[in-house]
Amino acid sequence: MDVSTLLSFETPYAVWMTGIPDYLLAAVASAIATLGLSVAFGPKRPASAAGAAEATSPNACDFLIHGGVLQALTEPARALIDGFAANTARLSALRLHLAVDCPGIEEDLEGLILYGVAFRRHCQRTDGSAFAILGEPRGAAAFLSIRAATEEARALRDTESALRRTLAEAAFLREVLDRAPVLAWSVGPDGTVTWANAAYRDRFAPPASDLPDHRIPDAFGHVLDEVPLTARAGGRRRRVSVPGLNDGEAHWFELSQSPGPTGESLGFALEADDLVAAEASLRRFIETLTETFAHLPIGLAVFDKNRRLGLFNPALT
């Protein structure tokens, strides 16, 4: 390649370059061209802190944290900082401000500032409004953004709140049933007891920590005896006798069972040993009294407080 024709021989530089071999000039020209192409079309460098400030949302509270110094990048962020007490450090004041509505944010901020660990957290204010806090490393600095939560984030936050309320209500109801003076349990479609309250477990399923697959027995699955109740008691109530867990003797219960919402059976039972014993004593007393009245030579009738005839002897007929 002869480049001497491109140069003016009236300048000293032209005289100097005419003495350089053509192959060396070609190598220099190729290097300059390669450098120009790499500058024009090469990958861009990461945006600086100023570039990051320009890319932020004007409605968000965006900050840049560098070396423990908090810098506001948007007008809402500056307004938030101006509301802090003048005698407190900006970063410390921001930590305390965010911790009020977002417990645990201090750990996230510490991980972001010290170790460059990005995070995203959804929080809720006392008035019910939700917001999101985003943190990500920006080179040697950290970028922090506080903005309104998206619709998906609000829906997720509402779902989490509803789940917490449901779990709290379920725990409360379990506590109520465990304190109730009635045996309560549920039997699944396969006939196994899936749940029982404390009164049932204490009576028929004492703790068995040595058994890894300990199951709650169905104490009312096999009835020893059953007596009919009056029509006033309802068709779903029964008085049954089942064997005890410790003594093996028969114990009476007033049993009520009904189908559950998902195919299981819900059962409730009240101890009726004292009631059955009192009824047996009353029957024996009436039998004895009737036999005594039968031998009296005079007519005798017994009425209750509503003037209904309850007992009379044969002489009255």
Side-chain angles (χ1 to χ4, degrees), residues 149-195:
T150 61
E151 292 298 331
E152 293 78 6
R154 293 192 185 96
L156 177 61
R157 189 71 183 183
D158 293 342
T159 302
E160 292 176 348
S161 299
L163 179 59
R164 285 194 295 269
R165 289 194 299 268
T166 302
L167 293 176
E169 183 178 0
F172 172 75
L173 293 177
R174 286 180 179 272
E175 182 69 17
V176 170
L177 288 174
D178 282 340
R179 293 176 178 270
V182 58
L183 281 66
W185 70 99
S186 64
V187 180
D190 57 351
T192 60
V193 177
T194 57
W195 169 84

mmCIF file of all heavy atoms in Angstrom, residues 149-195:
data_model
loop_
_atom_site.group_PDB
_atom_site.id
_atom_site.type_symbol
_atom_site.label_atom_id
_atom_site.label_comp_id
_atom_site.label_asym_id
_atom_site.label_seq_id
_atom_site.Cartn_x
_atom_site.Cartn_y
_atom_site.Cartn_z
ATOM 1 N N ALA A 149 -47.168 -0.113 46.063
ATOM 2 C CA ALA A 149 -47.197 -1.509 45.659
ATOM 3 C C ALA A 149 -48.061 -1.680 44.411
ATOM 4 O O ALA A 149 -49.041 -0.957 44.201
ATOM 5 C CB ALA A 149 -47.740 -2.379 46.792
ATOM 6 N N THR A 150 -47.699 -2.642 43.580
ATOM 7 C CA THR A 150 -48.489 -2.948 42.398
ATOM 8 C C THR A 150 -49.764 -3.685 42.805
ATOM 9 O O THR A 150 -49.930 -4.104 43.951
ATOM 10 C CB THR A 150 -47.671 -3.814 41.439
ATOM 11 O OG1 THR A 150 -47.328 -5.051 42.103
ATOM 12 C CG2 THR A 150 -46.393 -3.100 41.015
ATOM 13 N N GLU A 151 -50.671 -3.839 41.835
ATOM 14 C CA GLU A 151 -51.922 -4.538 42.125
ATOM 15 C C GLU A 151 -51.648 -5.978 42.544
ATOM 16 O O GLU A 151 -52.316 -6.508 43.440
ATOM 17 C CB GLU A 151 -52.824 -4.514 40.891
ATOM 18 C CG GLU A 151 -53.352 -3.138 40.533
ATOM 19 C CD GLU A 151 -54.229 -2.553 41.632
ATOM 20 O OE1 GLU A 151 -54.865 -3.346 42.362
ATOM 21 O OE2 GLU A 151 -54.270 -1.321 41.784
ATOM 22 N N GLU A 152 -50.663 -6.621 41.895
ATOM 23 C CA GLU A 152 -50.329 -7.991 42.279
ATOM 24 C C GLU A 152 -49.785 -8.044 43.704
ATOM 25 O O GLU A 152 -50.118 -8.949 44.479
ATOM 26 C CB GLU A 152 -49.309 -8.588 41.303
ATOM 27 C CG GLU A 152 -49.816 -8.803 39.894
ATOM 28 C CD GLU A 152 -49.862 -7.527 39.087
ATOM 29 O OE1 GLU A 152 -49.388 -6.478 39.604
ATOM 30 O OE2 GLU A 152 -50.388 -7.564 37.957
ATOM 31 N N ALA A 153 -48.963 -7.049 44.051
ATOM 32 C CA ALA A 153 -48.413 -7.016 45.417
ATOM 33 C C ALA A 153 -49.506 -6.759 46.440
ATOM 34 O O ALA A 153 -49.512 -7.347 47.520
ATOM 35 C CB ALA A 153 -47.326 -5.948 45.515
ATOM 36 N N ARG A 154 -50.452 -5.867 46.104
ATOM 37 C CA ARG A 154 -51.563 -5.628 47.024
ATOM 38 C C ARG A 154 -52.398 -6.881 47.210
ATOM 39 O O ARG A 154 -52.819 -7.201 48.326
ATOM 40 C CB ARG A 154 -52.431 -4.482 46.502
ATOM 41 C CG ARG A 154 -51.756 -3.128 46.516
ATOM 42 C CD ARG A 154 -52.780 -2.031 46.253
ATOM 43 N NE ARG A 154 -52.137 -0.728 46.148
ATOM 44 C CZ ARG A 154 -51.803 -0.167 45.002
ATOM 45 N NH1 ARG A 154 -52.052 -0.783 43.863
ATOM 46 N NH2 ARG A 154 -51.226 1.021 44.989
ATOM 47 N N ALA A 155 -52.659 -7.595 46.107
ATOM 48 C CA ALA A 155 -53.446 -8.828 46.218
ATOM 49 C C ALA A 155 -52.715 -9.858 47.059
ATOM 50 O O ALA A 155 -53.325 -10.559 47.886
ATOM 51 C CB ALA A 155 -53.742 -9.381 44.828
ATOM 52 N N LEU A 156 -51.393 -9.968 46.873
ATOM 53 C CA LEU A 156 -50.610 -10.902 47.674
ATOM 54 C C LEU A 156 -50.620 -10.506 49.138
ATOM 55 O O LEU A 156 -50.776 -11.361 50.029
ATOM 56 C CB LEU A 156 -49.173 -10.955 47.154
ATOM 57 C CG LEU A 156 -48.191 -11.845 47.928
ATOM 58 C CD1 LEU A 156 -48.669 -13.297 47.907
ATOM 59 C CD2 LEU A 156 -46.788 -11.731 47.352
ATOM 60 N N ARG A 157 -50.505 -9.200 49.410
ATOM 61 C CA ARG A 157 -50.521 -8.737 50.796
ATOM 62 C C ARG A 157 -51.878 -9.001 51.435
ATOM 63 O O ARG A 157 -51.955 -9.443 52.591
ATOM 64 C CB ARG A 157 -50.216 -7.238 50.823
ATOM 65 C CG ARG A 157 -49.995 -6.683 52.218
ATOM 66 C CD ARG A 157 -48.689 -7.164 52.786
ATOM 67 N NE ARG A 157 -48.489 -6.700 54.138
ATOM 68 C CZ ARG A 157 -47.402 -6.931 54.855
ATOM 69 N NH1 ARG A 157 -46.428 -7.636 54.346
ATOM 70 N NH2 ARG A 157 -47.298 -6.480 56.083
ATOM 71 N N ASP A 158 -52.962 -8.764 50.701
ATOM 72 C CA ASP A 158 -54.294 -9.030 51.235
ATOM 73 C C ASP A 158 -54.481 -10.516 51.508
ATOM 74 O O ASP A 158 -55.099 -10.903 52.512
ATOM 75 C CB ASP A 158 -55.364 -8.534 50.255
ATOM 76 C CG ASP A 158 -55.365 -7.015 50.127
ATOM 77 O OD1 ASP A 158 -54.801 -6.355 51.018
ATOM 78 O OD2 ASP A 158 -55.910 -6.516 49.131
ATOM 79 N N THR A 159 -53.956 -11.340 50.616
ATOM 80 C CA THR A 159 -54.066 -12.788 50.816
ATOM 81 C C THR A 159 -53.294 -13.228 52.054
ATOM 82 O O THR A 159 -53.772 -14.060 52.837
ATOM 83 C CB THR A 159 -53.549 -13.531 49.575
ATOM 84 O OG1 THR A 159 -54.298 -13.115 48.426
ATOM 85 C CG2 THR A 159 -53.700 -15.032 49.735
ATOM 86 N N GLU A 160 -52.101 -12.674 52.235
ATOM 87 C CA GLU A 160 -51.319 -13.008 53.425
ATOM 88 C C GLU A 160 -52.031 -12.560 54.694
ATOM 89 O O GLU A 160 -52.043 -13.284 55.699
ATOM 90 C CB GLU A 160 -49.936 -12.371 53.331
ATOM 91 C CG GLU A 160 -49.051 -12.966 52.233
ATOM 92 C CD GLU A 160 -47.739 -12.236 52.107
ATOM 93 O OE1 GLU A 160 -47.613 -11.136 52.709
ATOM 94 O OE2 GLU A 160 -46.835 -12.742 51.413
ATOM 95 N N SER A 161 -52.632 -11.374 54.669
ATOM 96 C CA SER A 161 -53.364 -10.889 55.842
ATOM 97 C C SER A 161 -54.570 -11.780 56.132
ATOM 98 O O SER A 161 -54.841 -12.121 57.291
ATOM 99 C CB SER A 161 -53.813 -9.441 55.616
ATOM 100 O OG SER A 161 -52.701 -8.588 55.413
ATOM 101 N N ALA A 162 -55.297 -12.166 55.075
ATOM 102 C CA ALA A 162 -56.448 -13.054 55.270
ATOM 103 C C ALA A 162 -56.008 -14.410 55.805
ATOM 104 O O ALA A 162 -56.693 -15.005 56.655
ATOM 105 C CB ALA A 162 -57.207 -13.220 53.955
ATOM 106 N N LEU A 163 -54.866 -14.897 55.331
ATOM 107 C CA LEU A 163 -54.362 -16.179 55.822
ATOM 108 C C LEU A 163 -53.996 -16.089 57.296
ATOM 109 O O LEU A 163 -54.302 -16.996 58.080
ATOM 110 C CB LEU A 163 -53.154 -16.614 54.997
ATOM 111 C CG LEU A 163 -52.481 -17.928 55.407
ATOM 112 C CD1 LEU A 163 -53.477 -19.079 55.335
ATOM 113 C CD2 LEU A 163 -51.263 -18.208 54.547
ATOM 114 N N ARG A 164 -53.360 -14.981 57.702
ATOM 115 C CA ARG A 164 -53.010 -14.819 59.117
ATOM 116 C C ARG A 164 -54.265 -14.753 59.980
ATOM 117 O O ARG A 164 -54.306 -15.348 61.070
ATOM 118 C CB ARG A 164 -52.152 -13.570 59.305
ATOM 119 C CG ARG A 164 -50.720 -13.726 58.837
ATOM 120 C CD ARG A 164 -49.866 -12.583 59.360
ATOM 121 N NE ARG A 164 -50.296 -11.319 58.797
ATOM 122 C CZ ARG A 164 -49.800 -10.800 57.676
ATOM 123 N NH1 ARG A 164 -48.869 -11.443 57.011
ATOM 124 N NH2 ARG A 164 -50.228 -9.618 57.233
ATOM 125 N N ARG A 165 -55.287 -14.033 59.502
ATOM 126 C CA ARG A 165 -56.524 -13.963 60.275
ATOM 127 C C ARG A 165 -57.189 -15.336 60.372
ATOM 128 O O ARG A 165 -57.713 -15.701 61.432
ATOM 129 C CB ARG A 165 -57.477 -12.961 59.626
ATOM 130 C CG ARG A 165 -57.045 -11.514 59.761
ATOM 131 C CD ARG A 165 -58.181 -10.579 59.399
ATOM 132 N NE ARG A 165 -58.608 -10.767 58.024
ATOM 133 C CZ ARG A 165 -58.121 -10.080 56.992
ATOM 134 N NH1 ARG A 165 -57.182 -9.175 57.177
ATOM 135 N NH2 ARG A 165 -58.593 -10.290 55.772
ATOM 136 N N THR A 166 -57.159 -16.103 59.279
ATOM 137 C CA THR A 166 -57.756 -17.437 59.287
ATOM 138 C C THR A 166 -57.023 -18.363 60.248
ATOM 139 O O THR A 166 -57.647 -19.125 60.999
ATOM 140 C CB THR A 166 -57.753 -18.022 57.877
ATOM 141 O OG1 THR A 166 -58.477 -17.151 56.997
ATOM 142 C CG2 THR A 166 -58.404 -19.392 57.845
ATOM 143 N N LEU A 167 -55.693 -18.300 60.241
ATOM 144 C CA LEU A 167 -54.917 -19.138 61.151
ATOM 145 C C LEU A 167 -55.175 -18.743 62.603
ATOM 146 O O LEU A 167 -55.281 -19.619 63.480
ATOM 147 C CB LEU A 167 -53.432 -19.021 60.818
ATOM 148 C CG LEU A 167 -52.985 -19.606 59.476
ATOM 149 C CD1 LEU A 167 -51.508 -19.336 59.236
ATOM 150 C CD2 LEU A 167 -53.266 -21.108 59.418
ATOM 151 N N ALA A 168 -55.277 -17.432 62.862
ATOM 152 C CA ALA A 168 -55.566 -16.995 64.231
ATOM 153 C C ALA A 168 -56.949 -17.455 64.666
ATOM 154 O O ALA A 168 -57.144 -17.896 65.805
ATOM 155 C CB ALA A 168 -55.445 -15.475 64.324
ATOM 156 N N GLU A 169 -57.919 -17.370 63.762
ATOM 157 C CA GLU A 169 -59.270 -17.819 64.098
ATOM 158 C C GLU A 169 -59.306 -19.325 64.315
ATOM 159 O O GLU A 169 -59.974 -19.812 65.244
ATOM 160 C CB GLU A 169 -60.232 -17.428 62.978
ATOM 161 C CG GLU A 169 -61.679 -17.792 63.258
ATOM 162 C CD GLU A 169 -62.609 -17.359 62.146
ATOM 163 O OE1 GLU A 169 -62.124 -16.776 61.165
ATOM 164 O OE2 GLU A 169 -63.824 -17.613 62.252
ATOM 165 N N ALA A 170 -58.575 -20.078 63.483
ATOM 166 C CA ALA A 170 -58.531 -21.527 63.654
ATOM 167 C C ALA A 170 -57.890 -21.900 64.989
ATOM 168 O O ALA A 170 -58.363 -22.815 65.688
ATOM 169 C CB ALA A 170 -57.773 -22.169 62.496
ATOM 170 N N ALA A 171 -56.819 -21.197 65.362
ATOM 171 C CA ALA A 171 -56.189 -21.463 66.659
ATOM 172 C C ALA A 171 -57.135 -21.146 67.807
ATOM 173 O O ALA A 171 -57.190 -21.881 68.804
ATOM 174 C CB ALA A 171 -54.896 -20.659 66.778
ATOM 175 N N PHE A 172 -57.893 -20.053 67.672
ATOM 176 C CA PHE A 172 -58.855 -19.696 68.715
ATOM 177 C C PHE A 172 -59.951 -20.753 68.838
ATOM 178 O O PHE A 172 -60.320 -21.164 69.948
ATOM 179 C CB PHE A 172 -59.464 -18.335 68.399
ATOM 180 C CG PHE A 172 -60.611 -17.953 69.300
ATOM 181 C CD1 PHE A 172 -60.382 -17.543 70.600
ATOM 182 C CD2 PHE A 172 -61.920 -18.025 68.843
ATOM 183 C CE1 PHE A 172 -61.435 -17.203 71.432
ATOM 184 C CE2 PHE A 172 -62.978 -17.684 69.662
ATOM 185 C CZ PHE A 172 -62.736 -17.275 70.961
ATOM 186 N N LEU A 173 -60.473 -21.215 67.711
ATOM 187 C CA LEU A 173 -61.531 -22.221 67.747
ATOM 188 C C LEU A 173 -61.012 -23.547 68.316
ATOM 189 O O LEU A 173 -61.736 -24.233 69.050
ATOM 190 C CB LEU A 173 -62.090 -22.430 66.341
ATOM 191 C CG LEU A 173 -62.851 -21.234 65.748
ATOM 192 C CD1 LEU A 173 -63.296 -21.539 64.327
ATOM 193 C CD2 LEU A 173 -64.048 -20.879 66.614
ATOM 194 N N ARG A 174 -59.791 -23.910 67.986
ATOM 195 C CA ARG A 174 -59.220 -25.125 68.574
ATOM 196 C C ARG A 174 -59.091 -24.998 70.093
ATOM 197 O O ARG A 174 -59.362 -25.943 70.831
ATOM 198 C CB ARG A 174 -57.853 -25.420 67.954
ATOM 199 C CG ARG A 174 -57.919 -25.972 66.536
ATOM 200 C CD ARG A 174 -56.529 -26.235 65.996
ATOM 201 N NE ARG A 174 -56.570 -26.778 64.656
ATOM 202 C CZ ARG A 174 -56.653 -28.069 64.374
ATOM 203 N NH1 ARG A 174 -56.702 -28.947 65.374
ATOM 204 N NH2 ARG A 174 -56.681 -28.495 63.138
ATOM 205 N N GLU A 175 -58.682 -23.804 70.539
ATOM 206 C CA GLU A 175 -58.563 -23.581 71.972
ATOM 207 C C GLU A 175 -59.924 -23.667 72.646
ATOM 208 O O GLU A 175 -60.064 -24.237 73.738
ATOM 209 C CB GLU A 175 -57.922 -22.214 72.216
ATOM 210 C CG GLU A 175 -57.703 -21.872 73.673
ATOM 211 C CD GLU A 175 -56.622 -22.724 74.311
ATOM 212 O OE1 GLU A 175 -55.825 -23.335 73.572
ATOM 213 O OE2 GLU A 175 -56.575 -22.772 75.559
ATOM 214 N N VAL A 176 -60.948 -23.116 72.002
ATOM 215 C CA VAL A 176 -62.302 -23.183 72.554
ATOM 216 C C VAL A 176 -62.780 -24.619 72.652
ATOM 217 O O VAL A 176 -63.328 -25.058 73.678
ATOM 218 C CB VAL A 176 -63.262 -22.339 71.702
ATOM 219 C CG1 VAL A 176 -64.706 -22.587 72.107
ATOM 220 C CG2 VAL A 176 -62.932 -20.853 71.847
ATOM 221 N N LEU A 177 -62.573 -25.392 71.585
ATOM 222 C CA LEU A 177 -63.025 -26.783 71.593
ATOM 223 C C LEU A 177 -62.236 -27.631 72.590
ATOM 224 O O LEU A 177 -62.784 -28.566 73.180
ATOM 225 C CB LEU A 177 -62.909 -27.376 70.191
ATOM 226 C CG LEU A 177 -63.934 -26.859 69.170
ATOM 227 C CD1 LEU A 177 -63.614 -27.404 67.780
ATOM 228 C CD2 LEU A 177 -65.344 -27.267 69.587
ATOM 229 N N ASP A 178 -60.964 -27.300 72.781
ATOM 230 C CA ASP A 178 -60.181 -28.050 73.763
ATOM 231 C C ASP A 178 -60.638 -27.759 75.192
ATOM 232 O O ASP A 178 -60.493 -28.609 76.079
ATOM 233 C CB ASP A 178 -58.690 -27.708 73.624
ATOM 234 C CG ASP A 178 -58.047 -28.435 72.448
ATOM 235 O OD1 ASP A 178 -58.620 -29.446 71.991
ATOM 236 O OD2 ASP A 178 -56.980 -27.992 71.979
ATOM 237 N N ARG A 179 -61.190 -26.570 75.416
ATOM 238 C CA ARG A 179 -61.661 -26.223 76.751
ATOM 239 C C ARG A 179 -63.130 -26.589 76.978
ATOM 240 O O ARG A 179 -63.616 -26.476 78.100
ATOM 241 C CB ARG A 179 -61.476 -24.716 76.988
ATOM 242 C CG ARG A 179 -60.020 -24.286 77.056
ATOM 243 C CD ARG A 179 -59.917 -22.783 77.191
ATOM 244 N NE ARG A 179 -58.533 -22.344 77.299
ATOM 245 C CZ ARG A 179 -57.872 -22.205 78.433
ATOM 246 N NH1 ARG A 179 -58.484 -22.465 79.577
ATOM 247 N NH2 ARG A 179 -56.614 -21.803 78.445
ATOM 248 N N ALA A 180 -63.829 -26.996 75.935
ATOM 249 C CA ALA A 180 -65.253 -27.309 76.060
ATOM 250 C C ALA A 180 -65.450 -28.597 76.855
ATOM 251 O O ALA A 180 -64.686 -29.566 76.702
ATOM 252 C CB ALA A 180 -65.876 -27.460 74.676
ATOM 253 N N PRO A 181 -66.481 -28.651 77.724
ATOM 254 C CA PRO A 181 -66.751 -29.868 78.522
ATOM 255 C C PRO A 181 -67.530 -30.909 77.727
ATOM 256 O O PRO A 181 -68.454 -31.528 78.242
ATOM 257 C CB PRO A 181 -67.559 -29.310 79.695
ATOM 258 C CG PRO A 181 -68.310 -28.169 79.105
ATOM 259 C CD PRO A 181 -67.417 -27.555 78.076
ATOM 260 N N VAL A 182 -67.177 -31.096 76.489
ATOM 261 C CA VAL A 182 -67.857 -32.047 75.619
ATOM 262 C C VAL A 182 -66.812 -32.717 74.744
ATOM 263 O O VAL A 182 -65.820 -32.094 74.353
ATOM 264 C CB VAL A 182 -68.935 -31.338 74.759
ATOM 265 C CG1 VAL A 182 -68.306 -30.247 73.918
ATOM 266 C CG2 VAL A 182 -69.671 -32.330 73.878
ATOM 267 N N LEU A 183 -67.010 -33.990 74.458
ATOM 268 C CA LEU A 183 -66.109 -34.716 73.575
ATOM 269 C C LEU A 183 -66.467 -34.379 72.128
ATOM 270 O O LEU A 183 -67.640 -34.450 71.746
ATOM 271 C CB LEU A 183 -66.207 -36.222 73.792
ATOM 272 C CG LEU A 183 -65.472 -36.819 75.001
ATOM 273 C CD1 LEU A 183 -66.066 -36.352 76.313
ATOM 274 C CD2 LEU A 183 -65.480 -38.345 74.940
ATOM 275 N N ALA A 184 -65.482 -33.994 71.344
ATOM 276 C CA ALA A 184 -65.706 -33.640 69.944
ATOM 277 C C ALA A 184 -64.630 -34.298 69.093
ATOM 278 O O ALA A 184 -63.454 -34.326 69.484
ATOM 279 C CB ALA A 184 -65.689 -32.123 69.755
ATOM 280 N N TRP A 185 -65.017 -34.807 67.931
ATOM 281 C CA TRP A 185 -64.077 -35.479 67.044
ATOM 282 C C TRP A 185 -64.661 -35.515 65.640
ATOM 283 O O TRP A 185 -65.834 -35.202 65.415
ATOM 284 C CB TRP A 185 -63.762 -36.881 67.548
ATOM 285 C CG TRP A 185 -64.914 -37.849 67.419
ATOM 286 C CD1 TRP A 185 -65.117 -38.771 66.436
ATOM 287 C CD2 TRP A 185 -66.021 -37.968 68.315
ATOM 288 N NE1 TRP A 185 -66.292 -39.447 66.657
ATOM 289 C CE2 TRP A 185 -66.856 -38.985 67.807
ATOM 290 C CE3 TRP A 185 -66.389 -37.307 69.489
ATOM 291 C CZ2 TRP A 185 -68.048 -39.348 68.437
ATOM 292 C CZ3 TRP A 185 -67.565 -37.671 70.113
ATOM 293 C CH2 TRP A 185 -68.372 -38.684 69.600
ATOM 294 N N SER A 186 -63.841 -35.889 64.687
ATOM 295 C CA SER A 186 -64.275 -36.058 63.300
ATOM 296 C C SER A 186 -63.736 -37.374 62.773
ATOM 297 O O SER A 186 -62.607 -37.767 63.084
ATOM 298 C CB SER A 186 -63.794 -34.885 62.428
ATOM 299 O OG SER A 186 -62.376 -34.861 62.363
ATOM 300 N N VAL A 187 -64.540 -38.040 61.974
ATOM 301 C CA VAL A 187 -64.188 -39.330 61.377
ATOM 302 C C VAL A 187 -64.186 -39.147 59.865
ATOM 303 O O VAL A 187 -65.163 -38.659 59.285
ATOM 304 C CB VAL A 187 -65.181 -40.426 61.786
ATOM 305 C CG1 VAL A 187 -64.790 -41.756 61.158
ATOM 306 C CG2 VAL A 187 -65.228 -40.546 63.310
ATOM 307 N N GLY A 188 -63.067 -39.516 59.231
ATOM 308 C CA GLY A 188 -62.941 -39.377 57.792
ATOM 309 C C GLY A 188 -63.754 -40.409 57.042
ATOM 310 O O GLY A 188 -64.324 -41.346 57.617
ATOM 311 N N PRO A 189 -63.827 -40.279 55.699
ATOM 312 C CA PRO A 189 -64.577 -41.249 54.897
ATOM 313 C C PRO A 189 -64.065 -42.678 55.027
ATOM 314 O O PRO A 189 -64.820 -43.630 54.818
ATOM 315 C CB PRO A 189 -64.403 -40.725 53.465
ATOM 316 C CG PRO A 189 -64.090 -39.267 53.620
ATOM 317 C CD PRO A 189 -63.305 -39.172 54.894
ATOM 318 N N ASP A 190 -62.783 -42.840 55.389
ATOM 319 C CA ASP A 190 -62.228 -44.187 55.547
ATOM 320 C C ASP A 190 -62.469 -44.766 56.939
ATOM 321 O O ASP A 190 -62.009 -45.871 57.232
ATOM 322 C CB ASP A 190 -60.730 -44.174 55.253
ATOM 323 C CG ASP A 190 -59.966 -43.194 56.143
ATOM 324 O OD1 ASP A 190 -60.627 -42.410 56.867
ATOM 325 O OD2 ASP A 190 -58.723 -43.205 56.107
ATOM 326 N N GLY A 191 -63.166 -44.030 57.813
ATOM 327 C CA GLY A 191 -63.491 -44.542 59.135
ATOM 328 C C GLY A 191 -62.471 -44.257 60.207
ATOM 329 O O GLY A 191 -62.644 -44.698 61.354
ATOM 330 N N THR A 192 -61.409 -43.516 59.914
ATOM 331 C CA THR A 192 -60.398 -43.190 60.919
ATOM 332 C C THR A 192 -60.681 -41.813 61.511
ATOM 333 O O THR A 192 -61.191 -40.917 60.836
ATOM 334 C CB THR A 192 -58.993 -43.196 60.304
ATOM 335 O OG1 THR A 192 -58.943 -42.227 59.251
ATOM 336 C CG2 THR A 192 -58.660 -44.570 59.754
ATOM 337 N N VAL A 193 -60.330 -41.650 62.780
ATOM 338 C CA VAL A 193 -60.505 -40.374 63.457
ATOM 339 C C VAL A 193 -59.406 -39.427 62.989
ATOM 340 O O VAL A 193 -58.216 -39.691 63.185
ATOM 341 C CB VAL A 193 -60.475 -40.551 64.983
ATOM 342 C CG1 VAL A 193 -60.587 -39.203 65.670
ATOM 343 C CG2 VAL A 193 -61.585 -41.477 65.438
ATOM 344 N N THR A 194 -59.799 -38.340 62.363
ATOM 345 C CA THR A 194 -58.834 -37.384 61.832
ATOM 346 C C THR A 194 -58.521 -36.249 62.801
ATOM 347 O O THR A 194 -57.480 -35.600 62.663
ATOM 348 C CB THR A 194 -59.360 -36.788 60.520
ATOM 349 O OG1 THR A 194 -60.643 -36.175 60.748
ATOM 350 C CG2 THR A 194 -59.525 -37.879 59.462
ATOM 351 N N TRP A 195 -59.409 -35.984 63.733
ATOM 352 C CA TRP A 195 -59.182 -34.909 64.710
ATOM 353 C C TRP A 195 -60.038 -35.173 65.935
ATOM 354 O O TRP A 195 -61.121 -35.776 65.852
ATOM 355 C CB TRP A 195 -59.556 -33.553 64.113
ATOM 356 C CG TRP A 195 -59.594 -32.465 65.148
ATOM 357 C CD1 TRP A 195 -58.550 -31.738 65.622
ATOM 358 C CD2 TRP A 195 -60.757 -32.012 65.871
ATOM 359 N NE1 TRP A 195 -58.983 -30.868 66.588
ATOM 360 C CE2 TRP A 195 -60.341 -31.009 66.755
ATOM 361 C CE3 TRP A 195 -62.104 -32.376 65.838
ATOM 362 C CZ2 TRP A 195 -61.220 -30.358 67.612
ATOM 363 C CZ3 TRP A 195 -62.983 -31.722 66.689
ATOM 364 C CH2 TRP A 195 -62.534 -30.720 67.563
#
